[in-house]
Each structure stands twice: as C-alpha cells, then as structure tokens.
Amino acid sequence: MKKFLWIVLKGAGVSIGAFALVIILVPKPHLLDETTFSPCYVDRNGKLLRLGLAEDDRYRVYVPLEKMSPQLVEMTLLHEDRYFHNHAGFNPIALMRAGWADWRGQGKRLGASTITMQLARLHYHLDTRTYIGKLCQIVAAIHMEAHNSKHEILEAYLNLAPYGRNIEGAGAASLIYFGKEPDELSSVEAMTLAVIPQSPARRSPGTTAHDQTLEKARGILLTQWLKSHPEDARLRGVLAMPLEMKLPRDLPFRAPHLVEEMMAREAEPRLALDLGLQDLLERQMTQYLSARETDGFKNASALLIDYRTMEVRAAVGSANFRREDIHGQVDGLRALRSPGSALKPFIYALAMDEGLIHPNSLLKDAPASFDGYDPENFDHNFAGPIRATDALIQSRNVPAVDLESQLDPKRNLYTLLRDAGMRGLQPESHYGLTIALGSAEVSPEEVGTLYAMLANRGKLRPLRMTVDDPENSGVALLSPEASYLTLDMLKDGTRPDAVNVPLLTRASRPVAWKTGTSFSYRDAWSAGVFDNYVLVVWVGNFDGTVNPEFVGRTAAAPLLFSMIDALRARSISSAPMETCFDLTPDLNLRQVDLCAVSGMIAGPNCPHTIKGWFIPGKSPIASCDVHRRIWVDNQTGLRLSGEPENSSNAHAEVCEFWPSDLAKLFQAAGLPRKAPPGFSGQEPSSSVAIGGDASKGPRIVSPKNGLIYHMRVGAMNDEVLDLEATAETRREHLHWFIDATYLGVSDPSTALLWKLQPGQHVIRAVDDMGRADSRQITVTAVE
C-alpha cells in the first residue's frame, strides 16, 4: 500500500482527489512497528548496564510518552512545532512563509516542517529536498493525522528523532549523553535534548561547532520558555554553567557475563541485579586479587543471591572480562568445576533426615576402606571420635564418606544433585563414594542454588535473573528441620580472621559457611549464608592450572568474608532482621541437655552437659550409657560387682565405658580415655556396672550387610575378607561363625581374615556372654 501512496503522488501536481484517495484507501500507518530498537539492559533500579545497537547499527531505545520528562516534551514542542495540537499535519502559514523566502532567494532557509511532517520523513525515509518530496511529506503527514492520535505521533517522533551521530530517540540520547532515563532529566538537560534534532550534526557533543551552536539554540529556547514559565528565571544562571555530556564510547559495560547470558536468552531487559552491590563485589575482588598476585591469584568469580526472592543481586563472572590472558570472557559462574568439600553439608542434612545422626552425634574419623576406596583427610591425619558438627566444620573426609555410604541409595547426595537439576552429572556409577569429596562437577550458580535451598528450609527454587521472572514456590528436597540444623552447624565455624571480629558481631549476625578445595588444587571455593543473602566465591584458573595456594580456607574464604563485611557496612541498620537462622514455630525441633562427651541425652552420671537440638521421631537419641556409676574397693582400687554391704570399705565413682572401637580410636588419636578399673576377683557374668546396660552385644562393622563381593576365578585361593566387630569392653573375646562353621576368635575391633567362598553366607560374631550380631553377604565368581 505504501507503493500505492507514492504512485498517486508522483507527477507535477497533487489534486484534492488524490489527497482524499490516499486518506481513504491507505490503511493506518503503524508508526513504530517496523522500527528495531537497541537491546538495553538496566539493573533493578533502572541504572544502565549495557546499550547495544539496533539491527540498523543505530542506538534507539523505545520509551512511552508517559515515561518522558514533561519538560522535554513541552520544550520540544515549543522549539519544533508550537502549534502541534492545532494543525492537521502541516502548517500552511509556515509553509507559505518558507516558500516566499525561498522564492525571493533570501539567504537562510526557514523551517516549515511540523513534527508530523518530520515523522513522515523519518518513517517513510523521504527525500524532502525537492518539491515533489515535500508534497509527498505533506500528504503523508495529513494521512498520519487522519489515522493516528496526537499522542501516537508525538511518541513516535520522540523515539525516532535524530540526536546526532547514530543516536535516535530521546530514550537513547538521555541514556548516552546524561546516563539517565528520559523521565529523570533536569531542566537544562531537557532543554539541551530539545534543540539537538533541529541540527544534530552541529549541536550534538563531539562536533566542532557543538559548544557555540548549542549554546545559541538553548538561549533562544530559554527566551521563549520564560515567556510562559517566568518562575524558571533561575535557568539563565544554570544554563551558563558547563554541561557534561558523554559519548557512545562512554557507555557502561557492566555485569558483562550476566548481560551476555540474558541477551542470548532474549530475556526481559530489567535485571534483578543491583549495580551498587555489583560494584562492591567487583571492587573487593580486584583489591583481593591484587594483594594475592604474588601467590599466583589472577581470577575469581562471585555470585550474590537474595535467598528470599532468589534474585541474583550481583554476578561477577571473572576478574576482568577484557583480559585474554585469564580467559576473562569465560563465565565462571556457569563453568562446571570440582567443588571439593563444598557439598558436604548436604550429606549431613540427608543423614539427619534419615535419622543417622544429629549435630552432636559421635562419628569416627579413622582409617577406613569402602569396597576398595580408602579416603584420607586433607591433613593426612585422623581425629578419632568427633562430633558431627566438628566433623563438618573441620571438613573431615572419612566421616562424610562413611555417612554417604550409609544413606539410602534413593536419597543420597547423587540423587539430591540429580533432583536439583545439576546439569553436568554423569551416571552414578561414575562417581561412587568419591562424590562426597567433590568428584561431581557443579557450577557456582548451582552451588548458590543449593545453599539457598538450606536457607529456604529445604525448598529448591530457581534463580531469578530479571525482576519479571516468575516466583517459584519450589520443591522440597530436604526437611525444614535438617536444613535449619545444617546451617546451625555451619555457623559455628571460625572465620579465618576471627581474632579481628567482635564476639557480639559473630553471635548476633552469624555466617553459615563452608569451603572446598578441588583435586590437585585447581579450584578454591567458599559459600556462605548470612543475613538475607547467599554468597558463593570461586578462586582459580579457567584453564585448570594447578596452584598449591588454591585451598578453600586460605584462598576463597578471605575473599568471601571481605565481601560480606563490605556488604554489611554498606547497609548498616538498627532494625531487627528476619533471617533463616531464626527459630520459627513450624520447625519440629527439640532442645535437650546432652552429655558433652558422648553426645547422647545426659544421664544422672554425666559430669558435663551441653544444649543440643534433635528432630523428634528421626534423630538417633538415647540416654548416655558411657558414664556409669561403679563401686571401687578402697584398698585395692578394683571394681566391685555390686554395692558392698559395708560402704565404708568402698566408694562410688563415675567411669566412662566406651565401645571397643571408639576406645581404640581415642587411643590412636592421642586422646586416651581412662578405662574403668578391673574387677576384684573373677569378672561377673551379669552386671558390669551399677546402672549399666548388660544387654549390649557385639556389632559387626565389616562386612556391611547385603554386600555382594565379586571374586576373580583366577584368584579364588587368595581373596580374603576382613571380619571386624566392636564390643562392650576391650576385655571381651569375639567368636566368629560362617554359616554353621566356627571360624575363630578375635579381640574387639581387631580384624579376623576369612578366605572367601562363592555363595550366600551368614556371618555371626558372638561374645563371651552369648550375645551375637550377624550379616548376610553374597560372594560370586567372575572371570
């Protein structure tokens, strides 16, 4: 239909009938439908992050008329077309005046184009330097006025008007020249933009005649403005002051990795990111890497999440996007890396959900073999018996692997990561128990999502990159109780610079944090939950270069806490803050007095107690039977079998009765516990201590129940299996049976070797009092 319009108009003259024909037959022009606009990304507060070029290599940002400065609109009409609301597309008086001046050959050509005519020229790309072109412009303007409202025409003009260089529209001009949205312009800035479209090549910044011609044009407009706005007389003085205007080369290039990702997704332009927080994290990272440059620290990534809304408030993909030597354009927040111990908290959460432990349970940190896998601790030492909280905080490897081995295969760490949507997972058999120590690669984004799940009481919710991303109530992968207790355990960790942090601050504003160090020192991690945020920090090299300094606690944790301290300093508030560390009534938790030594419910004989949490109906809570009251002969110092008839010859003592395996671990760790004295005379076959539990029998720790052992045919005579069990005391003997066949005797916590035989077998251990424990295993022969 556009072609029809110009066919009608071509010729020496245009009749009234042609005008009517155009208006009647040509449909309503959609003024901006065929216009492409620049990708423009701003933060949650409207601050510009990135302004790209439209498809025709121009800067052009669509802004509704309602979101433009009223002064800019009024000043533009005053300068360009003061009768805009009164004409039907053209101003006949102005046209005649301009035509008369042109016919008489007066030097300066007078402008006669209305805003509607200028829009027609821009919309249809008309050449209006000829009479035919000018007539086409007039007809197109009349056609626009007949079919479009004044509001639509003015809005389209302000989005297409030239503002110098390759900048079109007031939206792009205000962002580029002043770094502001069009509704935030000052009076002087609005006046400046109002005069540029009339002569963009001479009045836009960066041109030779910019200062002189722009100042003159603004002066003329100010004189006209003050006639109707005398209250703005102060603008005369303000207008004389220098006005800073930026150029396209000064456009911001912020949060480049996140913006690149959003551009690839064609996501909404207003990100959830907070540019102030982004600046803060980038500044802390730059300072930290500069200070650690001699240690080979060149690159890092950091992600800040508001776990209440799951909005990403800051995202630093690398130390410097433009540095090729560190592969700065790689987005470290989405790169898959080995997390080391950073995922151990989720093993402990699962173990609490399955009733295996509570925060004060005693775990074993000792050499152990798991079907041929022999994990070691980072320091190559073993702590012996250790509280679950301490084992997690100190990142002991053996307890974590042991817990993972005990988890239900349908609810272990692998299935948790799978259900959480971790995108780089291999089949479960690829990892085995090594998954507990970080063999499954994850990204900082994914780690942040998992830690936010703890803060959200076990509900996994997706990250929200833009303010328009829908909120998701999430899916429960952990119980609220286990999630709360896991964070409660993690907040007891001592930060690297704890000596410089007041105790009151540590107690009132806790940080639940964990570190991770990947295999071969390629990645250092630290993740923390604090206030209303989750912060994940990664330090390393994108090319996988090994650096022995890349240890989570010494490489990543200091950066984590420097960022946390800076964030808190930025938002100092005296108002109370609700956080995930607050105990809420919906949590099914109970706090009781626990034995400080055994971690069990304190009994009457426990000398020291602590407060501890447990989950009713889940946590393995029992009364402490380690501390028992016995009678000791005053003369011999030996234990009596019961309360003596004459109490003057004996006294009562509280002694510790540890299972043989734990007693052995205390000894090996250099923390021997004082053993109870021996019996006076023959040890009785009944009670071993006043108030003791004589019903406890041996417990087989190797092999595990249901084990399937594959024996090589060529080595049938060489394959052996360790048989090991614990007992009430180390003085007992354990008798071993394979099916109905007696195998031999061993001391508690000492292995007895059995030469494997194919088939299904029942293995039994029987102590001196006839108490027994059994395991079923299957041995198969394979080629």
Side-chain angles (χ1 to χ4, degrees), residues 129 340 522:
R129 290 171 295 183
R522 289 183 169 88

Side-chain angles (χ1 to χ4, degrees), residues 706-770:
L707 174 71
I708 300 177
Y709 193 95
H710 300 289
M711 182 175 59
R712 293 172 298 166
V713 173
M716 291 183 64
N717 296 324
D718 301 325
E719 297 283 351
V720 295
L721 182 65
D722 289 347
L723 305 181
E724 185 177 346
T726 64
E728 177 74 2
T729 70
R730 299 184 66 182
R731 296 186 177 91
E732 298 181 38
H733 297 92
L734 298 176
H735 303 270
W736 292 90
F737 294 83
I738 306 297
D739 301 320
T741 304
Y742 180 72
L743 180 64
V745 65
S746 72
D747 293 331
S749 300
T750 301
L752 181 70
L753 300 181
W754 170 53
K755 187 177 292 186
L756 291 173
Q757 297 294 329
Q760 292 186 340
H761 302 282
V762 176
I763 300 173
R764 289 190 304 141
V766 184
D767 67 8
D768 293 334
M769 298 176 64

Side-chain angles (χ1 to χ4, degrees), residues 321-398:
F321 186 84
R322 292 188 170 92
R323 278 186 59 180
E324 294 184 4
D325 61 315
I326 63 170
H327 309 283
Q329 294 189 16
V330 174
D331 186 357
L333 297 179
R334 294 181 54 78
L336 298 177
R337 315 291 298 187
S338 168
S341 298
L343 299 184
K344 283 179 182 174
F346 304 97
I347 297 176
Y348 284 76
L350 289 166
M352 284 187 284
D353 257 346
E354 294 188 21
L356 298 178
I357 61 169
H358 59 79
N360 287 283
S361 293
L362 272 187
L363 305 181
K364 299 177 186 176
D365 182 22
S369 181
F370 301 88
D371 297 337
Y373 175 47
D374 305 321
E376 288 189 349
N377 288 311
F378 182 79
D379 58 5
H380 304 292
N381 292 318
F382 298 96
I386 186 172
R387 284 194 322 141
T389 296
D390 295 330
L392 176 58
I393 291 174
Q394 297 175 23
S395 201
R396 310 307 290 178
N397 288 341
V398 177

Side-chain angles (χ1 to χ4, degrees), residues 102-243:
D102 187 54
W103 180 75
R104 294 189 60 184
Q106 295 179 357
K108 181 179 178 181
R109 300 186 64 179
L110 299 179
S113 295
T114 64
I115 280 181
T116 312
M117 290 173 64
Q118 294 181 56
L119 177 61
R121 174 176 57 81
L122 295 169
H123 182 70
Y124 293 114
H125 307 290
L126 301 177
D127 182 1
T128 58
R129 290 171 295 183
T130 66
Y131 288 112
I132 295 298
K134 182 62 71 174
L135 284 173
C136 291
Q137 183 184 22
I138 294 172
V139 173
I142 295 173
H143 178 255
M144 284 182 176
E145 291 276 357
H147 292 283
N148 298 94
S149 67
K150 290 288 187 180
H151 180 282
E152 291 174 329
I153 293 171
L154 184 56
E155 179 180 272
Y157 172 76
L158 287 171
N159 277 284
L160 294 176
Y163 285 89
R165 300 177 177 269
N166 60 340
I167 302 170
E168 292 185 358
S174 61
L175 285 173
I176 293 173
Y177 292 148
F178 303 114
K180 296 179 178 180
E181 296 284 348
D183 59 351
E184 299 174 346
L185 295 171
S186 67
S187 299
V188 173
E189 292 165 344
M191 187 173 293
T192 301
L193 292 188
V195 301
I196 291 179
Q198 195 175 83
S199 182
R202 302 182 65 197
R203 296 175 184 172
S204 60
T207 57
T208 305
H210 160 68
D211 293 336
Q212 182 179 355
T213 57
L214 180 62
E215 182 179 352
K216 182 177 179 181
R218 290 193 307 179
I220 295 173
L221 176 57
L222 178 61
T223 300
Q224 296 173 327
W225 178 261
L226 291 179
K227 291 178 181 179
S228 56
H229 296 277
E231 70 278 4
D232 288 343
R234 62 178 181 80
L235 289 178
R236 290 190 183 278
V238 178
L239 208 62
M241 299 175 63
L243 179 65

Side-chain angles (χ1 to χ4, degrees), residues 63 113 315 552 565 632 636 678 693 758:
V63 180
S113 295
D565 292 342
V632 179
T636 65
D693 182 4

